[in-house]
Amino acid sequence: MATHQSTVTAALRRDPITVPLGDRSYAIDVCDGRPDLLTDAVARCAPSSILFVTDRNVKRARGAAFERALAPLGVRRTNVTLLPGERRKSLASVSKLWDAALGAGVDRDVLVIAAGGGVVGDLAGFAASTLLRGVRFVQVPTTLLAMVDSSVGGKTGFDHARGKNLIGSFHQPSAVVADLAHLETLPVRELRCGLAEIAKVAVVADAGLLELLERDAAALAAGDRRALAPIVRRAIEAKVRIVAEDEREAGPRALLNLGHTVGHALEVHGAFTRWLHGEAVALGMVAEMEGCAALGLTPPPLVRRVSDLLARLGLPTRLPVAEVSAAWPYVASDKKRDGAALRLPIVRGEGRGVVERVPIEVLRDALGASRGAASP
Ligand SMILES: NC(=O)c1ccc[n+]([C@@H]2O[C@H](COP(=O)([O-])OP(=O)(O)OC[C@H]3O[C@@H](n4cnc5c(N)ncnc54)[C@H](O)[C@@H]3O)[C@@H](O)[C@H]2O)c1
Ligand SMILES: [Zn+2]
């Protein structure tokens, strides 16, 4: 009876966000310290077996919690622990996952569980999308960035020597369980990368969220989970609205690329060691917005407001002009390029982004001009 009651109470305390995509719809649980929600999410899938994918850091930090959630299911499980880091977001890692699954003789009812940050999520999701022509997967994000961004919306893939995320697929997960308890062991620099993606979605799509970030910036930068919880939920809801409208990025989903055109270029130019993804996005956001302000497309006070917020969130916002120039060739080879123009998110006002084509050379000149003018 006690067990039954606690199950009912737990069920009542579940308040998932739904991603409405017809027969590809799924629920995102946002919680703090609820391994039972992962157990439930997996049980609902009733898999024949599990391919559990994580990386070495996540296994060390969170392995016990995952074990607690999965052991009671009594489902046959193959564990794969990848080496951590963006450099491992490669075909070789995907191959390892295919080999492990096929070696274990999985069938089409296998469930892939991606337990980790965006790298593990993108790799495991891609492996799931291709294995036996597509099997189900569940996202268990353990970084703030993965909770609010990479685990939501079904983009999967890996990097190529010619650029980031150049090979991939759209494959929606069957469920997402975002348990903030995992953030306890996340290095603060990584946590702040997640705040960059939250600021991004606020700037293009949710003015109220932008205000909340400004109000609680200090607590958020310090990783206060009580301050984080409502903001994580709201950021996910904002991304879900965009994904529901444009699952395959034919239009408005490209808003979520704010800061990523310049950001990706900085990451590649820095050989993925100089900047973490979220830091590159913060720098890219300010640079792109400054470029658009110089073209008269974005109000300059808003650029200053966003730049101040990012700085208060503990993120880098200023770059030497020389680094932008050196990274420029990677902007020109961006996959969002369309002839001589880029499809760029343009922030017209707070929470109001639009996607427009901007000629690459015009952006380059504007960036140089605005940076020159802005330097003290
Ligand atoms: N698919 C999408 O829509 C999408 C969206 C945004 C970003 N991304 C991708 O996500 C990736 C970045 O994700 P990320 O920032 O989560 O990086 P990540 O997966 O590399 O994780 C960051 C680091 O934190 C460690 N870690 C993770 N969780 C931890 C925890 N709870 N405790 C201690 N250490 C932990 C990891 O081992 C890693 O070293 C990039 O490859 C980016 O392209 C994808
Ligand atoms: Zn990103």
Side-chain angles (χ1 to χ4, degrees):
M1 189 61 192
T3 313
H4 174 67
Q5 259 179 358
S6 61
T7 311
V8 171
T9 319
L12 285 177
R13 281 197 287 130
R14 191 175 166 238
D15 181 20
I17 299 167
T18 300
V19 185
L21 293 171
D23 59 2
R24 293 181 311 290
S25 297
Y26 53 98
I28 302 174
D29 283 298
V30 183
C31 55
D32 193 346
R34 294 286 303 276
D36 59 305
L37 290 184
L38 175 56
T39 315
D40 286 357
V42 175
R44 276 196 301 280
C45 294
S48 57
S49 65
I50 290 171
L51 181 73
F52 180 83
V53 184
T54 190
D55 74 28
R56 208 175 45 194
N57 296 338
V58 177
K59 184 180 177 188
R60 194 180 306 130
R62 314 306 315 166
F66 293 133
E67 210 43 54
R68 265 199 305 284
L70 299 178
L73 291 163
V75 177
R76 187 164 60 87
R77 174 161 36 110
T78 304
N79 296 319
V80 186
T81 305
L82 300 168
L83 290 173
E86 183 71 34
R87 285 189 158 281
R88 312 287 173 173
K89 207 170 104 174
S90 62
L91 178 60
S93 296
V94 173
S95 226
K96 237 180 229 172
L97 302 183
W98 286 330
D99 291 350
L102 297 174
V106 302
D107 64 21
R108 301 206 66 238
D109 289 320
V110 63
L111 182 70
V112 177
I113 300 181
V119 169
V120 165
D122 281 7
L123 288 168
F126 182 80
S129 79
T130 44
L131 197 59
L132 306 177
R133 294 206 175 78
V135 300
R136 296 167 301 165
F137 83 118
V138 168
Q139 289 273 20
V140 189
T142 61
T143 64
L144 181 59
L145 185 144
M147 290 177 190
V148 297
D149 199 352
S150 60
S151 69
V152 180
K155 277 194 191 176
T156 80
F158 57 93
D159 301 335
H160 185 274
R162 286 192 175 272
K164 261 181 67 96
N165 298 327
L166 287 181
I167 301 167
S169 62
F170 285 96
H171 188 54
Q172 298 294 343
S174 300
V176 181
V177 182
D179 191 333
L180 273 71
H182 295 308
L183 301 180
E184 197 181 320
T185 50
L186 187 70
V188 72
R189 192 176 162 203
E190 296 286 354
L191 183 110
R192 291 171 179 176
C193 286
L195 294 174
E197 301 278 13
I198 297 176
K200 171 200 74 180
V201 78
V203 171
V204 295
D206 188 344
L209 179 56
L210 188 60
E211 281 165 23
L212 285 177
L213 288 168
E214 289 173 325
R215 193 192 69 187
D216 293 342
L220 294 167
D224 177 338
R225 280 177 9 224
R226 273 217 310 256
L228 275 167
I231 273 158
V232 166
R233 177 169 272 273
R234 188 151 173 170
I236 294 173
E237 285 167 347
K239 176 155 185 186
V240 165
R241 282 195 298 277
I242 293 172
V243 168
E245 194 184 328
D246 177 25
E247 185 181 0
R248 293 200 156 230
E249 199 170 308
R253 185 163 179 175
L255 285 176
L256 298 171
N257 294 330
L258 178 68
H260 283 64
T261 301
V262 172
H264 278 176
L266 292 171
E267 278 184 280
V268 180
H269 173 253
F272 296 109
T273 50
R274 175 148 163 70
W275 303 112
L276 296 178
H277 178 70
E279 293 169 344
V281 168
L283 288 162
M285 230 187 307
V286 175
E288 290 173 20
M289 287 180 76
E290 279 181 346
C292 289
L295 295 171
L297 301 170
T298 298
L302 183 56
V303 186
R304 280 194 293 278
R305 189 176 157 193
V306 171
S307 171
D308 287 351
L309 170 65
L310 293 170
R312 288 178 63 214
L313 294 173
L315 289 153
T317 57
R318 313 274 345 151
L319 264 179
V321 185
E323 190 169 343
V324 182
S325 303
W328 197 260
Y330 299 102
V331 171
S333 69
D334 194 281
K335 72 173 181 294
K336 292 178 288 299
R337 179 183 172 155
D338 156 17
L342 288 162
R343 282 177 64 227
L344 211 64
I346 293 172
V347 187
R348 295 285 193 185
E350 53 187 52
R352 230 159 20 90
V354 293
V355 180
E356 279 174 27
R357 292 177 80 243
V358 177
I360 294 176
E361 291 315 317
V362 170
L363 180 69
R364 179 182 197 156
D365 293 347
L367 261 176
S370 66
R371 289 193 162 265
S375 303

